[in-house]
Amino acid sequence: MNENIQFTTELSLDIPEEIRKARNIATVGLQVHLEDKEYKDGALSNQEVYDIFQARKALPSTSAVSVGDYQDLFRPFLEAGKTVIHVSISSGISSTYQNACIAAEDLEDLGKVYVIDSLSLSQAASILVYKGHDMAQQDKSAEEIVAAMKALVPKLDSSFMITNLDFLKHGGRCSTLAALGANLLKLKPMINMDGGSMSTDKKYRGKDEDAYFQYLDDRFANGVEYDDEYVCISNGMVDKAILDKAVSVLKKKYKFKNVIVNDVGTVIFSHGGKGCFGVFFLHQ
């Protein structure tokens, strides 16, 4: 194990706490603003956010991690003689990447911070951290690991499905008419990270559970070749029975070695709302 490397990232990668602890991954949270109060990502549960929305139609807004917060994250590791490898959520949806780069440059007299733009979000980006950590355990150098991680970025399959557009509508991210039409028709759009920004590729129809598993199977359609080491499921208050079934499908049908399930944090939930569901993996 290369003990001189420290992996860091934002909480918005939605890495389960037990994995963060086991792999010693340090994190920092984006700012969440709700009803004139400020929170760090993760301080509010998705149930709390949903209940507030149901009662008062108030949604969180979010802001990027500040340069100062990144400096506070990086500095202790640099002072301890470590090289930091930081994976950031996409530069196309947040200024976190740019702020992390500024902090890294400001601290260059203390040591080296490599900042990687995942061009993705939630647990899609976490796969880069897992692969990098695996390479560190093989005693690879920081330079080798960073080069390999950057080469994996365009191979990430990063998409999620939204089953209800109310959060997007109230957050100003889609028109009221579009939201009304989609909800009445029971359409569930798939949002894809295309070059680091969001686009709508497909829409599913019908019951949520049926749509989830059609979306899941579509991820692996047409003989797609994939890395079977890691697959991640991120969800916003999806029923546990559905999640258990999805895990079973991914293990038995698609033969993934590690299936990692976690709730999305406040930042992602405030966009995707209740029922959002993402399956993330690497293409070969």
Side-chain angles (χ1 to χ4, degrees):
M1 174 73 180
N2 189 337
E3 300 287 352
N4 294 320
I5 295 174
Q6 175 65 50
F7 290 93
T8 65
T9 189
E10 292 98 36
L11 277 168
S12 299
L13 267 67
D14 298 324
I15 298 174
E17 183 178 4
E18 62 270 20
I19 295 179
R20 297 201 309 266
K21 290 180 177 178
R23 297 193 179 218
N24 190 31
I25 300 165
T27 57
V28 64
L30 278 74
Q31 301 292 331
V32 176
H33 312 274
L34 179 60
E35 295 191 312
D36 299 322
K37 295 182 180 179
E38 188 173 283
Y39 307 86
K40 284 291 187 182
D41 190 14
L44 290 169
S45 71
N46 291 339
Q47 186 67 58
E48 288 174 309
V49 173
Y50 182 73
D51 288 346
I52 290 171
F53 175 74
Q54 290 296 101
R56 299 186 289 279
K57 300 304 180 189
L59 274 179
S61 61
T62 59
S63 56
V65 180
S66 69
V67 172
D69 282 349
Y70 278 123
Q71 290 174 336
D72 291 342
L73 175 67
F74 300 150
R75 185 179 289 107
F77 301 118
L78 297 176
E79 291 177 340
K82 292 183 179 290
T83 297
V84 176
I85 300 178
H86 181 82
V87 177
S88 182
I89 60 174
S90 176
S91 61
I93 59 174
S94 172
S95 59
T96 53
Y97 170 73
Q98 289 85 350
N99 289 352
C101 288
I102 293 170
E105 185 177 351
D106 289 345
L107 296 174
E108 61 185 3
D109 289 344
L110 293 178
K112 183 64 178 178
V113 179
Y114 293 96
V115 183
I116 297 174
D117 184 355
S118 71
L119 296 179
S120 61
L121 79 175
S122 191
Q123 285 197 84
S126 75
I127 295 173
L128 299 178
V129 183
Y130 302 148
K131 299 293 275 190
H133 188 270
D134 290 346
M135 286 183 272
Q137 288 186 311
Q138 298 164 10
D139 209 29
K140 300 286 187 181
S141 70
E143 292 76 17
E144 290 175 304
I145 293 170
V146 170
M149 291 172 72
K150 287 183 176 180
L152 292 175
V153 169
K155 297 181 179 182
L156 284 172
D157 192 292
S158 181
S159 68
F160 58 97
M161 193 180 75
I162 293 176
T163 60
N164 189 297
L165 273 65
D166 285 345
F167 272 35
L168 289 180
K169 181 188 74 173
H170 284 276
R173 300 177 188 94
C174 73
S175 72
T176 300
L177 182 61
L180 178 62
N183 285 339
L184 287 175
L185 294 171
K186 298 188 182 298
L187 295 178
K188 300 146 191 8
M190 185 186 87
I191 310 297
N192 189 55
M193 295 298 293
D194 184 10
S197 300
M198 295 184 187
S199 63
T200 302
D201 284 0
K202 299 183 69 171
K203 294 183 179 71
Y204 296 92
R205 188 188 301 271
K207 295 180 180 179
D208 288 358
E209 182 172 354
D210 294 340
Y212 288 144
F213 288 97
Q214 183 61 60
Y215 156 80
L216 190 157
D217 285 337
D218 283 351
R219 312 291 359 101
F220 304 99
N222 302 317
V224 62
E225 296 184 355
Y226 54 90
D227 182 335
D228 64 3
E229 188 67 27
Y230 295 104
V231 64
C232 299
I233 301 172
S234 290
N235 75 94
M237 298 174 66
V238 174
D239 186 84
K240 185 178 183 300
I242 292 175
L243 297 176
D244 289 343
K245 181 180 176 181
V247 169
S248 179
V249 170
L250 289 166
K251 285 183 176 179
K252 294 179 180 179
K253 183 175 181 179
Y254 296 110
K255 309 300 182 185
F256 278 98
K257 299 181 180 71
N258 298 287
V259 182
I260 300 169
V261 182
N262 200 23
D263 298 337
V264 296
T266 311
V267 169
I268 304 300
F269 188 74
S270 66
H271 299 284
K274 184 177 182 179
C276 64
F277 180 81
V279 176
F280 309 117
F281 60 95
L282 278 167
H283 292 272
Q284 289 282 24

